Amino acid sequence: MEVEATGPRRAQQQPCKNGSAKQLPSDAAKPLRLNPLLVINFLLMVVGSAFGPLLLRAYFLHGGTRKWLSSLLQTAGWPLLLAPLSASFLSRRRSHKDRGSVAPLFLMSPRLLAATVAVGFMTGLDDLLYAYGLAYLPVSTSSILISTQLAFTAAFALLLVRQRFTAFSVNAVVLLSVGAAMLGMNAGGDRPAGVTRAQYSAGFGMTLGAAALYGLMLPVMELSQAKHAARTGAAVTYTLVMEMQIVIGFTATAFSAVGMLVNNDFHAIPREAREFGLGQIGYYLLLAASAIVYQFFFLGTIGAIFYGSALLAGVIMTVLIPVTEVLAVLFFHEPFNGTKGVALALSLWGFVSYLYGEIRAKAQHSDKPLNTEHLDP
């Protein structure tokens, strides 16, 4: 279960003949690697991004009213990672035992732990903002607004991790943003029945806030991984990524649980289950499914950052919006018109543009001869 990074996860220094060091490209410029685990994380993101919003919206449509509970559901599935993480530790302990050393229980350094806890609190706040927005907005409108996180991710990735933009990645950002804007222009008259104008406006603003906060969180996670690798000199493994996700999930869940205690949500759950539109069993099944599906989403996201970049994770989330749109039409009978069809085409075009650019960058990187002019023979 101990999976090593497919390439360097830190800026490396190559000794030169004169004793100085030559700086090689860092993570921010790394090309996309066609790794099977990246495909698995992409599939996890597909499941989480497509079905997570539908499950939470179904909770509100059938009589659920607890925003703090909805926030908690988005990260409460973190214990699911304990089983693979335990298997990884046992494998690591056997390997160290064969070498006569002791395997560390945790791979996270204290600094990385502190940074991950901070991201966990940010995640808890982001989940709360998103839950408030989804309580008052249709799934299609909420997904459209969340897609603006791509612009925030691109901006913060440029500032924090020096993500280099190519013509293809810029084209992808523009196409995806235009598609989202077109859908947004078409979403003016979709206020659900029973939702006041003030509630709709508040949900609109909180969803945009959730998009901005999430756009910051992705580069912060990428930066924390890179700094950990540079500081410790150790490769960032997928086991470390799972440890980070457990800490993020636990911290965000604790944040939401405190809110539920203050709001008296735990005492209200049995009554809400009895009055739920899908029945009491349906109520608890919906809550459990939401927790599992969102855990898929978060694990897939942090894995996409590990094997790709924060910008790649943002592009994947944005291109999945049309999938959520179609599912919302099928399950909630939300309208789907020509504008949404054009936006779907733009989203797919943007995704293909980004993927093609990354494949070209990978090809150019592998074909580029190594400059040995200043290296020792």
CSV table of all heavy atoms in Angstrom, one decimal, residues 112-157:
chain,number,residue,atom,x,y,z
A,112,LEU,N,3.8,19.8,8.8
A,112,LEU,CA,2.7,19.4,7.9
A,112,LEU,C,1.4,19.1,8.6
A,112,LEU,O,0.3,19.4,8.1
A,112,LEU,CB,3.2,18.1,7.1
A,112,LEU,CG,2.2,17.6,6.1
A,112,LEU,CD1,2.0,18.6,5.0
A,112,LEU,CD2,2.8,16.3,5.4
A,113,LEU,N,1.5,18.5,9.8
A,113,LEU,CA,0.3,18.3,10.6
A,113,LEU,C,-0.4,19.6,10.9
A,113,LEU,O,-1.7,19.7,10.7
A,113,LEU,CB,0.7,17.5,11.9
A,113,LEU,CG,-0.5,17.3,12.8
A,113,LEU,CD1,-1.6,16.4,12.2
A,113,LEU,CD2,0.0,16.7,14.1
A,114,ALA,N,0.3,20.6,11.3
A,114,ALA,CA,-0.3,21.9,11.6
A,114,ALA,C,-0.9,22.5,10.4
A,114,ALA,O,-2.0,23.0,10.4
A,114,ALA,CB,0.8,22.8,12.2
A,115,ALA,N,-0.2,22.4,9.2
A,115,ALA,CA,-0.8,23.0,8.0
A,115,ALA,C,-2.1,22.2,7.6
A,115,ALA,O,-3.0,22.8,7.1
A,115,ALA,CB,0.2,22.9,6.9
A,116,THR,N,-2.1,20.9,7.8
A,116,THR,CA,-3.2,20.1,7.4
A,116,THR,C,-4.4,20.4,8.3
A,116,THR,O,-5.5,20.4,7.8
A,116,THR,CB,-2.8,18.6,7.4
A,116,THR,OG1,-1.7,18.4,6.6
A,116,THR,CG2,-4.0,17.7,6.9
A,117,VAL,N,-4.1,20.6,9.6
A,117,VAL,CA,-5.2,20.9,10.5
A,117,VAL,C,-5.9,22.3,10.1
A,117,VAL,O,-7.1,22.4,10.1
A,117,VAL,CB,-4.7,21.0,12.0
A,117,VAL,CG1,-5.7,21.7,12.9
A,117,VAL,CG2,-4.4,19.6,12.5
A,118,ALA,N,-5.0,23.2,9.7
A,118,ALA,CA,-5.5,24.5,9.2
A,118,ALA,C,-6.4,24.3,8.0
A,118,ALA,O,-7.5,24.9,7.8
A,118,ALA,CB,-4.4,25.5,8.9
A,119,VAL,N,-6.0,23.4,7.0
A,119,VAL,CA,-6.8,23.1,5.9
A,119,VAL,C,-8.1,22.5,6.3
A,119,VAL,O,-9.1,22.7,5.7
A,119,VAL,CB,-6.0,22.2,4.9
A,119,VAL,CG1,-6.9,21.8,3.7
A,119,VAL,CG2,-4.8,23.0,4.3
A,120,GLY,N,-8.0,21.6,7.3
A,120,GLY,CA,-9.2,21.0,7.8
A,120,GLY,C,-10.3,22.0,8.3
A,120,GLY,O,-11.5,21.9,8.0
A,121,PHE,N,-9.9,23.0,9.0
A,121,PHE,CA,-10.8,24.1,9.5
A,121,PHE,C,-11.3,24.8,8.3
A,121,PHE,O,-12.5,25.2,8.3
A,121,PHE,CB,-10.1,25.0,10.5
A,121,PHE,CG,-10.0,24.5,11.9
A,121,PHE,CD1,-8.7,24.2,12.4
A,121,PHE,CD2,-11.1,24.2,12.6
A,121,PHE,CE1,-8.6,23.7,13.7
A,121,PHE,CE2,-11.0,23.6,13.9
A,121,PHE,CZ,-9.7,23.4,14.4
A,122,MET,N,-10.5,25.1,7.3
A,122,MET,CA,-11.0,25.8,6.1
A,122,MET,C,-12.0,24.9,5.4
A,122,MET,O,-13.0,25.4,4.9
A,122,MET,CB,-9.8,26.0,5.1
A,122,MET,CG,-8.8,27.0,5.7
A,122,MET,SD,-7.3,27.1,4.7
A,122,MET,CE,-7.9,27.6,3.1
A,123,THR,N,-11.8,23.6,5.4
A,123,THR,CA,-12.7,22.7,4.7
A,123,THR,C,-14.0,22.7,5.5
A,123,THR,O,-15.1,22.6,4.9
A,123,THR,CB,-12.1,21.2,4.7
A,123,THR,OG1,-10.9,21.2,4.0
A,123,THR,CG2,-13.1,20.2,4.1
A,124,GLY,N,-14.0,22.7,6.8
A,124,GLY,CA,-15.3,22.7,7.6
A,124,GLY,C,-16.1,24.0,7.3
A,124,GLY,O,-17.3,23.9,7.1
A,125,LEU,N,-15.4,25.1,7.2
A,125,LEU,CA,-16.1,26.4,6.8
A,125,LEU,C,-16.6,26.3,5.4
A,125,LEU,O,-17.7,26.8,5.1
A,125,LEU,CB,-15.1,27.6,7.0
A,125,LEU,CG,-15.7,28.9,6.6
A,125,LEU,CD1,-16.9,29.3,7.5
A,125,LEU,CD2,-14.6,30.0,6.8
A,126,ASP,N,-15.8,25.8,4.5
A,126,ASP,CA,-16.2,25.7,3.1
A,126,ASP,C,-17.5,24.8,3.0
A,126,ASP,O,-18.4,25.1,2.2
A,126,ASP,CB,-15.1,25.1,2.3
A,126,ASP,CG,-15.4,25.0,0.8
A,126,ASP,OD1,-15.4,26.1,0.1
A,126,ASP,OD2,-15.7,23.9,0.3
A,127,ASP,N,-17.5,23.7,3.7
A,127,ASP,CA,-18.6,22.8,3.7
A,127,ASP,C,-19.9,23.4,4.2
A,127,ASP,O,-21.0,23.2,3.7
A,127,ASP,CB,-18.3,21.5,4.6
A,127,ASP,CG,-17.3,20.6,4.0
A,127,ASP,OD1,-17.0,20.8,2.8
A,127,ASP,OD2,-16.7,19.8,4.7
A,128,LEU,N,-19.7,24.3,5.2
A,128,LEU,CA,-20.9,25.0,5.8
A,128,LEU,C,-21.5,26.0,4.8
A,128,LEU,O,-22.7,26.0,4.6
A,128,LEU,CB,-20.5,25.7,7.1
A,128,LEU,CG,-21.7,26.5,7.7
A,128,LEU,CD1,-22.8,25.5,8.2
A,128,LEU,CD2,-21.1,27.2,8.9
A,129,LEU,N,-20.6,26.7,4.1
A,129,LEU,CA,-21.0,27.7,3.1
A,129,LEU,C,-21.7,26.9,2.0
A,129,LEU,O,-22.8,27.4,1.5
A,129,LEU,CB,-19.8,28.5,2.6
A,129,LEU,CG,-19.1,29.4,3.5
A,129,LEU,CD1,-17.9,30.0,2.9
A,129,LEU,CD2,-20.1,30.5,4.0
A,130,TYR,N,-21.2,25.8,1.5
A,130,TYR,CA,-21.8,25.1,0.4
A,130,TYR,C,-23.1,24.5,0.8
A,130,TYR,O,-24.0,24.5,0.0
A,130,TYR,CB,-20.8,23.9,0.0
A,130,TYR,CG,-21.3,23.1,-1.1
A,130,TYR,CD1,-21.4,23.6,-2.4
A,130,TYR,CD2,-21.6,21.7,-0.8
A,130,TYR,CE1,-21.9,22.8,-3.4
A,130,TYR,CE2,-22.1,20.9,-1.9
A,130,TYR,CZ,-22.2,21.5,-3.2
A,130,TYR,OH,-22.7,20.7,-4.2
A,131,ALA,N,-23.2,24.0,2.1
A,131,ALA,CA,-24.5,23.4,2.5
A,131,ALA,C,-25.6,24.5,2.6
A,131,ALA,O,-26.7,24.2,2.2
A,131,ALA,CB,-24.3,22.8,3.9
A,132,TYR,N,-25.3,25.7,3.0
A,132,TYR,CA,-26.2,26.8,3.0
A,132,TYR,C,-26.7,27.1,1.6
A,132,TYR,O,-27.9,27.3,1.4
A,132,TYR,CB,-25.6,28.0,3.7
A,132,TYR,CG,-26.0,28.2,5.1
A,132,TYR,CD1,-25.2,27.7,6.2
A,132,TYR,CD2,-27.2,28.8,5.5
A,132,TYR,CE1,-25.6,27.8,7.5
A,132,TYR,CE2,-27.5,29.0,6.8
A,132,TYR,CZ,-26.7,28.4,7.8
A,132,TYR,OH,-27.1,28.6,9.1
A,133,GLY,N,-25.7,27.2,0.7
A,133,GLY,CA,-26.1,27.5,-0.7
A,133,GLY,C,-27.0,26.4,-1.3
A,133,GLY,O,-28.0,26.7,-2.0
A,134,LEU,N,-26.7,25.1,-1.1
A,134,LEU,CA,-27.4,24.0,-1.7
A,134,LEU,C,-28.8,23.9,-1.0
A,134,LEU,O,-29.7,23.3,-1.6
A,134,LEU,CB,-26.7,22.7,-1.5
A,134,LEU,CG,-27.0,21.6,-2.5
A,134,LEU,CD1,-26.8,22.1,-3.9
A,134,LEU,CD2,-26.1,20.4,-2.2
A,135,ALA,N,-29.0,24.5,0.2
A,135,ALA,CA,-30.3,24.5,0.8
A,135,ALA,C,-31.3,25.4,0.1
A,135,ALA,O,-32.5,25.1,0.1
A,135,ALA,CB,-30.2,24.9,2.3
A,136,TYR,N,-30.8,26.4,-0.6
A,136,TYR,CA,-31.7,27.4,-1.2
A,136,TYR,C,-31.6,27.5,-2.7
A,136,TYR,O,-32.3,28.2,-3.4
A,136,TYR,CB,-31.4,28.8,-0.6
A,136,TYR,CG,-31.6,28.8,0.8
A,136,TYR,CD1,-30.5,29.3,1.7
A,136,TYR,CD2,-32.8,28.4,1.5
A,136,TYR,CE1,-30.7,29.3,3.1
A,136,TYR,CE2,-32.9,28.5,2.8
A,136,TYR,CZ,-31.9,28.9,3.6
A,136,TYR,OH,-32.0,29.0,5.0
A,137,LEU,N,-30.6,26.7,-3.3
A,137,LEU,CA,-30.4,26.8,-4.8
A,137,LEU,C,-30.7,25.5,-5.4
A,137,LEU,O,-30.4,24.4,-4.8
A,137,LEU,CB,-29.0,27.3,-5.1
A,137,LEU,CG,-28.5,28.6,-4.6
A,137,LEU,CD1,-27.0,28.8,-4.9
A,137,LEU,CD2,-29.4,29.8,-5.1
A,138,PRO,N,-31.1,25.5,-6.7
A,138,PRO,CA,-31.1,24.2,-7.4
A,138,PRO,C,-29.7,23.6,-7.6
A,138,PRO,O,-28.7,24.4,-7.6
A,138,PRO,CB,-31.7,24.6,-8.8
A,138,PRO,CG,-32.4,25.9,-8.6
A,138,PRO,CD,-31.6,26.6,-7.5
A,139,VAL,N,-29.6,22.3,-7.8
A,139,VAL,CA,-28.3,21.7,-8.0
A,139,VAL,C,-27.6,22.3,-9.2
A,139,VAL,O,-26.4,22.5,-9.1
A,139,VAL,CB,-28.5,20.2,-8.2
A,139,VAL,CG1,-27.2,19.5,-8.6
A,139,VAL,CG2,-29.1,19.5,-7.0
A,140,SER,N,-28.3,22.6,-10.3
A,140,SER,CA,-27.7,23.1,-11.5
A,140,SER,C,-27.0,24.5,-11.2
A,140,SER,O,-25.9,24.7,-11.6
A,140,SER,CB,-28.7,23.2,-12.6
A,140,SER,OG,-29.8,24.0,-12.2
A,141,THR,N,-27.8,25.3,-10.5
A,141,THR,CA,-27.2,26.7,-10.2
A,141,THR,C,-26.1,26.6,-9.2
A,141,THR,O,-25.1,27.3,-9.4
A,141,THR,CB,-28.4,27.5,-9.6
A,141,THR,OG1,-29.5,27.6,-10.5
A,141,THR,CG2,-27.8,28.9,-9.3
A,142,SER,N,-26.2,25.8,-8.2
A,142,SER,CA,-25.1,25.6,-7.3
A,142,SER,C,-23.9,25.1,-8.0
A,142,SER,O,-22.7,25.6,-7.7
A,142,SER,CB,-25.5,24.6,-6.2
A,142,SER,OG,-24.5,24.4,-5.3
A,143,SER,N,-24.0,24.1,-8.8
A,143,SER,CA,-22.8,23.5,-9.5
A,143,SER,C,-22.2,24.6,-10.4
A,143,SER,O,-21.0,24.6,-10.6
A,143,SER,CB,-23.3,22.3,-10.4
A,143,SER,OG,-23.8,21.3,-9.5
A,144,ILE,N,-23.0,25.4,-11.1
A,144,ILE,CA,-22.5,26.5,-11.9
A,144,ILE,C,-21.6,27.4,-11.1
A,144,ILE,O,-20.5,27.8,-11.5
A,144,ILE,CB,-23.7,27.2,-12.6
A,144,ILE,CG1,-24.4,26.3,-13.6
A,144,ILE,CG2,-23.1,28.5,-13.3
A,144,ILE,CD1,-25.7,26.8,-14.0
A,145,LEU,N,-22.1,27.8,-10.0
A,145,LEU,CA,-21.4,28.8,-9.2
A,145,LEU,C,-20.1,28.2,-8.6
A,145,LEU,O,-19.1,28.8,-8.5
A,145,LEU,CB,-22.3,29.3,-8.0
A,145,LEU,CG,-23.5,30.1,-8.4
A,145,LEU,CD1,-24.4,30.4,-7.2
A,145,LEU,CD2,-23.1,31.4,-9.2
A,146,ILE,N,-20.2,26.9,-8.2
A,146,ILE,CA,-19.0,26.2,-7.7
A,146,ILE,C,-17.9,26.1,-8.8
A,146,ILE,O,-16.7,26.1,-8.5
A,146,ILE,CB,-19.4,24.8,-7.2
A,146,ILE,CG1,-20.1,24.9,-5.8
A,146,ILE,CG2,-18.2,23.9,-7.0
A,146,ILE,CD1,-19.3,25.5,-4.7
A,147,SER,N,-18.4,26.1,-10.1
A,147,SER,CA,-17.4,26.0,-11.1
A,147,SER,C,-16.4,27.2,-11.2
A,147,SER,O,-15.3,27.1,-11.8
A,147,SER,CB,-18.1,25.8,-12.5
A,147,SER,OG,-18.7,27.0,-12.9
A,148,THR,N,-16.8,28.3,-10.6
A,148,THR,CA,-16.0,29.5,-10.6
A,148,THR,C,-14.7,29.2,-9.8
A,148,THR,O,-13.8,30.0,-9.8
A,148,THR,CB,-16.7,30.7,-10.1
A,148,THR,OG1,-17.2,30.4,-8.7
A,148,THR,CG2,-17.9,31.0,-10.9
A,149,GLN,N,-14.7,28.1,-9.0
A,149,GLN,CA,-13.5,27.8,-8.2
A,149,GLN,C,-12.3,27.6,-9.1
A,149,GLN,O,-11.1,27.8,-8.7
A,149,GLN,CB,-13.7,26.6,-7.3
A,149,GLN,CG,-14.1,25.3,-8.1
A,149,GLN,CD,-12.9,24.5,-8.7
A,149,GLN,OE1,-11.8,24.7,-8.2
A,149,GLN,NE2,-13.2,23.8,-9.7
A,150,LEU,N,-12.5,27.3,-10.4
A,150,LEU,CA,-11.4,27.1,-11.3
A,150,LEU,C,-10.6,28.4,-11.5
A,150,LEU,O,-9.4,28.3,-11.5
A,150,LEU,CB,-11.9,26.6,-12.7
A,150,LEU,CG,-10.8,26.3,-13.7
A,150,LEU,CD1,-9.9,25.2,-13.3
A,150,LEU,CD2,-11.5,26.0,-15.1
A,151,ALA,N,-11.3,29.5,-11.6
A,151,ALA,CA,-10.6,30.8,-11.7
A,151,ALA,C,-9.9,31.1,-10.5
A,151,ALA,O,-8.7,31.6,-10.5
A,151,ALA,CB,-11.6,31.9,-12.0
A,152,PHE,N,-10.5,30.8,-9.3
A,152,PHE,CA,-9.8,31.1,-8.0
A,152,PHE,C,-8.6,30.1,-7.9
A,152,PHE,O,-7.5,30.5,-7.4
A,152,PHE,CB,-10.7,30.9,-6.9
A,152,PHE,CG,-11.8,31.9,-6.8
A,152,PHE,CD1,-13.1,31.6,-7.1
A,152,PHE,CD2,-11.5,33.2,-6.4
A,152,PHE,CE1,-14.2,32.5,-7.0
A,152,PHE,CE2,-12.5,34.2,-6.4
A,152,PHE,CZ,-13.9,33.8,-6.7
A,153,THR,N,-8.8,28.9,-8.3
A,153,THR,CA,-7.7,27.9,-8.2
A,153,THR,C,-6.5,28.3,-9.1
A,153,THR,O,-5.3,28.3,-8.7
A,153,THR,CB,-8.1,26.5,-8.6
A,153,THR,OG1,-9.2,26.1,-7.8
A,153,THR,CG2,-7.0,25.5,-8.6
A,154,ALA,N,-6.8,28.8,-10.3
A,154,ALA,CA,-5.8,29.2,-11.2
A,154,ALA,C,-5.0,30.4,-10.6
A,154,ALA,O,-3.8,30.4,-10.7
A,154,ALA,CB,-6.4,29.6,-12.5
A,155,ALA,N,-5.7,31.4,-10.1
A,155,ALA,CA,-5.1,32.5,-9.5
A,155,ALA,C,-4.2,32.2,-8.3
A,155,ALA,O,-3.0,32.6,-8.2
A,155,ALA,CB,-6.1,33.6,-9.1
A,156,PHE,N,-4.7,31.4,-7.4
A,156,PHE,CA,-4.0,31.0,-6.2
A,156,PHE,C,-2.8,30.1,-6.5
A,156,PHE,O,-1.8,30.1,-5.9
A,156,PHE,CB,-4.9,30.4,-5.1
A,156,PHE,CG,-5.8,31.4,-4.5
A,156,PHE,CD1,-7.2,31.2,-4.5
A,156,PHE,CD2,-5.3,32.5,-3.8
A,156,PHE,CE1,-8.0,32.1,-3.9
A,156,PHE,CE2,-6.1,33.4,-3.2
A,156,PHE,CZ,-7.5,33.2,-3.2
A,157,ALA,N,-3.0,29.2,-7.5
A,157,ALA,CA,-1.9,28.3,-7.9
A,157,ALA,C,-0.8,29.1,-8.5
A,157,ALA,O,0.4,28.8,-8.3
A,157,ALA,CB,-2.4,27.3,-8.9
